[in-house]
Amino acid sequence: VSVTNGGSATVFGDLVLGQSAGSNGKVTVDGNGSYLEVVGNVAVGQNGVGSLSVLNGAVMDAYGANFTLAGSGASSVTVSDLSTLNIAAQNVNLGNGTGTDTISIQSVGQVNIDNSLQAGSSPVNITVDEDSILSIGELSSNNSQFSLNVTNGSHLTVLGTCGCNALLLLGGTINVQGDSNLTTAKANIGGNDALTSLIVGSGSQATFSSKLALLYNSQIAVTGGGDILIGSASATAVDQIVVGGGGTLTAQSLATL
């Protein structure tokens, strides 16, 4: 299915891409003024593989209760070239299939997720590149195969709409590089069997306006002119925070437990 050249379409029910085993469902919204509205749930990949692309100035709004990215293979969402994907779903779930699920936001693309994004147990790769924006209400991962890369002047904002830990990273890696930014209030990093990492470098900045807690098997690395600003921080071991290569760490208070 394609919506192009300034066209518009509304799906009043659910949108399921790759519903049947062995299938490959694709939706493309392409071109300035092109618009897709989905009132029901969105599933990018189910028993098959799904692919959703919002390109070249197009806009998509998803209003249903659930937005999932999964399936039996490598399902994907791509938002690029001044396009915007708005997700108002209460639950955004990734990585509950059998393949590697990817979200690629590039070339001044923007994805706005009003509520919670949760990463499941299968591999999940999220890339925010080339002056793009990813805004999330809450972000949680208990998945050692979760990877989120923010690069080349891009921005990741985790708003903390629940009033609790906006960023709950119990597994995986967040990597902020190339004059990019991560902004959130409260965050817990670590607390799982696998190493959980936050890496900030190449002139980038991560800001935790309220609190950052580092639990076991967690690490923060600040390198290459990176900068981390923290309201208060706690760590279960002093070697969990590594500052080197011109990096800086600024905290109003720091406790090692």
Side-chain angles (χ1 to χ4, degrees):
V1 176
S2 297
V3 182
T4 61
N5 298 322
S8 64
T10 299
V11 179
F12 290 101
D14 297 340
L15 176 64
V16 181
L17 309 180
Q19 184 176 40
S20 303
S23 64
N24 192 336
K26 297 181 179 181
V27 165
T28 300
V29 190
D30 190 356
N32 189 36
S34 298
Y35 176 67
L36 173 62
E37 176 186 37
V38 181
V39 178
N41 299 323
V42 175
V44 183
Q46 197 173 74
N47 298 308
V49 177
S51 174
L52 172 64
S53 300
V54 187
L55 312 172
N56 298 313
V59 175
M60 175 176 170
D61 291 331
Y63 293 111
N66 298 292
F67 188 107
T68 59
L69 175 63
S72 63
S75 295
S76 64
V77 173
T78 301
V79 180
S80 70
D81 297 289
L82 297 169
S83 296
T84 302
L85 171 60
N86 299 307
I87 303 174
Q90 291 296 317
N91 302 294
V92 177
N93 294 296
L94 316 177
N96 292 304
T98 58
T100 299
D101 298 324
T102 63
I103 295 178
S104 178
I105 311 165
Q106 57 195 17
S107 300
V108 204
Q110 183 165 347
V111 173
N112 303 308
I113 299 173
D114 290 351
N115 296 295
S116 174
L117 184 153
Q118 297 181 327
S121 57
S122 61
V124 173
N125 295 327
I126 301 175
T127 300
V128 189
D129 190 27
E130 297 174 328
D131 298 300
S132 295
I133 296 172
L134 174 59
S135 175
I136 309 172
E138 303 155 27
L139 171 62
S140 65
S141 169
N142 192 21
N143 179 0
S144 62
Q145 300 180 90
F146 173 80
S147 175
L148 199 169
N149 295 289
V150 185
T151 55
N152 296 317
S154 296
H155 304 272
L156 168 63
T157 302
V158 186
L159 299 169
T161 53
C162 68
C164 53
N165 288 310
L167 174 59
L168 185 62
L169 189 66
L170 304 181
T173 300
I174 295 178
N175 189 6
V176 186
Q177 301 287 334
D179 297 309
S180 298
N181 291 281
L182 161 63
T183 304
T184 189
K186 298 179 181 179
N188 276 17
I189 296 178
N192 207 339
D193 292 336
L195 180 66
T196 303
S197 301
L198 170 65
I199 305 166
V200 181
S202 302
S204 296
Q205 184 176 84
T207 301
F208 302 87
S209 59
S210 179
K211 181 179 180 180
L212 170 64
L214 301 180
L215 308 178
Y216 70 91
N217 283 336
S218 65
Q219 185 179 59
I220 283 185
V222 192
T223 61
D227 188 17
I228 292 184
L229 306 176
I230 311 170
S232 64
S234 62
T236 57
V238 295
D239 61 352
Q240 289 176 323
I241 301 176
V242 179
V243 182
T248 64
L249 174 84
T250 303
Q252 296 299 316
S253 63
L254 175 64
T256 57
L257 307 177

